Amino acid sequence: MTSSPPYLAGNFAPVTEELTAHDLPVTGQIPPELTGWYLRNGPNPQAAAARHWFAGDGMVHGVRIENGRAVSYRNRWVRTSTFTDGARGYGETGERNLTAGVANTHVIRHAGRTLALVETSYPYELTRELDTVGPYDFDGALRTAMTAHPKTCPVTGELHFFGYEVVGEPFLTYHRADADGTLLLSRPIDVPAATMQHDFNLTAEHVVFMDLPVVFDLASAVAGDGMPFRWSDDYQARLGVLRRDDPFGEVRWFPIDPCYVFHSLNAHDEPGRIVLYVMRYAELWRGTSDGFDRSTLWRWTIDLTTGTVTEEQLDDRNAEFPRVDDRLTGLDARFGHAAVSGDSGALIRYDLHTGGQTAHEFGPGRIPGEAAFAPADQNPGGPGYLMTYVYNAETDRSDLAILYAGDVAAEPVATIHLPRRVPFGFHGSWLADR
């Protein structure tokens, strides 16, 4: 008798039904200033044959909040061409199908469109009710896949993103779209090999790429052996800096110690340097892609004059899924947040100016996911709330917890009780009504 792999067991296991439930029960009081959708994406394979947790079909779970009420919950698969027709990203002769993908990693809004993202294909547009409209390619202008971690500039409203490729050059392409959704530029970035670039960094003046030693592995891809990337001792870890005001100019490369980063917390400019906050792994996927090492918060400071990078570990707690107030993306945000999983979960609030931190400890068997920041007013960096799905192993159900960010250790201001468990997943957004 064979057992299920870990990513198909417990709360990693998929749910089999799409539900809609109304008038959800609430403990506490939902802040009346919150009106909109909390959406979170994650893998939910329709068949149990997914080769890795990262490969399951995308499912978006959403809670609608209006005037202090939890109006509804719904979950819907993202109906990509892979989901509906079994489409594959590459044909037998190597032709690329950018509509083929699982759209399972993130869900954002830009230029009035709600987009489900994965880094290997085009985005998929969703309706307000989470039905699938179809693939979105910026009116035919996008010719590469799109990262699941685009960055919206809070000053210009521009969407900055990239796409990486594993079969042929260019292995990396940088893109920029304006606030209305028009793709303004696509610029190849010269890198020596196909590496897994999951995230990147944006500041007011720079774009910073992370070219790290997790390299495409053809043998693993052919064998269907988990994720087709492996750690390389021979590939130089480095950061690539591009000026935003010269998007076709030189990319300056800065070597760093070998490591891997799935997720950046934030980045900002200082005179003569760039400061980045990242969740750093000492290494990833040496020989197999079955598991993950510890990741902790680090600060990288790029000195643009000396050409060097100072690397500092800021915390020793194993954490992931970092977020800031999105209105401070690329600016000097004082606070950031990250999730701790394991047998007893927590949310950490980092004070990036003082080095201090506080945490909300959910307790044994209660595991939070990524926490999105929901502003309480129109002032970037002002008061707000953290919203996250929390799985309760004792009841095998999930709640949407809403915590006041300014006193994260306190009890949630509201807990919205969902009609079912929400499987562990990846990233999401608070999409306030305009």
Side-chain angles (χ1 to χ4, degrees), residues 365-379:
R366 293 180 57 82
I367 311 302
E370 177 193 72
F373 185 88
D377 60 25
Q378 299 302 311
N379 300 311

Side-chain angles (χ1 to χ4, degrees), residues 177-230:
D178 67 16
D180 295 323
T182 300
L183 192 64
L184 300 175
L185 68 88
S186 297
R187 179 259 163 95
I189 305 295
D190 186 22
V191 293
T195 60
M196 186 172 67
Q197 300 202 29
H198 184 71
D199 201 351
F200 75 125
N201 305 270
L202 182 73
T203 73
E205 298 178 3
H206 298 94
V207 179
V208 184
F209 303 100
M210 299 183 290
D211 190 28
L212 304 175
V214 176
V215 181
F216 178 68
D217 184 73
L218 182 59
S220 299
V222 172
D225 181 19
M227 290 295 291
F229 294 90
R230 294 295 181 269

Side-chain angles (χ1 to χ4, degrees), residues 278-348:
V278 300
M279 309 308 293
R280 181 187 185 274
Y281 295 78
E283 67 174 49
L284 182 78
W285 296 347
R286 180 183 291 276
T288 177
S289 62
D290 288 343
F292 303 89
D293 294 328
R294 290 170 52 85
S295 64
T296 55
L297 180 65
W298 283 60
R299 178 169 55 216
W300 289 334
T301 303
I302 302 173
D303 189 313
L304 297 172
T305 301
T306 65
T308 59
V309 180
T310 302
E311 306 178 60
E312 306 166 86
Q313 184 174 350
L314 301 182
D315 188 25
D316 61 3
R317 194 163 188 181
N318 184 17
E320 253 292 7
F321 300 127
R323 295 291 293 267
V324 296
D325 180 344
D326 289 338
R327 300 170 301 173
L328 296 176
T329 297
L331 305 176
D332 186 12
R334 178 173 178 179
F335 296 106
H337 309 90
V340 176
S341 59
D343 294 333
S344 184
L347 287 178
I348 303 175

Side-chain angles (χ1 to χ4, degrees), residues 122-242:
Y122 288 147
Y124 267 75
E125 185 177 357
L126 307 178
T127 69
R128 179 185 173 95
E129 289 74 32
L130 305 186
D131 296 322
T132 302
V133 176
Y136 179 64
D137 62 2
F138 294 82
D139 295 324
L142 183 62
R143 304 297 175 85
T144 75
M146 177 177 174
T147 177
H149 289 286
K151 314 290 186 190
T152 300
C153 174
V155 177
T156 66
E158 293 172 330
L159 190 71
H160 297 251
F161 59 99
F162 66 89
Y164 74 80
E165 182 56 75
V166 298
V167 170
E169 297 185 59
F171 294 124
L172 180 65
T173 304
Y174 165 59
H175 302 281
R176 186 186 302 180
D178 67 16
D180 295 323
T182 300
L183 192 64
L184 300 175
L185 68 88
S186 297
R187 179 259 163 95
I189 305 295
D190 186 22
V191 293
T195 60
M196 186 172 67
Q197 300 202 29
H198 184 71
D199 201 351
F200 75 125
N201 305 270
L202 182 73
T203 73
E205 298 178 3
H206 298 94
V207 179
V208 184
F209 303 100
M210 299 183 290
D211 190 28
L212 304 175
V214 176
V215 181
F216 178 68
D217 184 73
L218 182 59
S220 299
V222 172
D225 181 19
M227 290 295 291
F229 294 90
R230 294 295 181 269
W231 180 265
S232 171
D233 287 320
D234 300 322
Y235 197 89
Q236 171 67 64
R238 59 188 193 153
L239 305 176
V241 175
L242 175 66

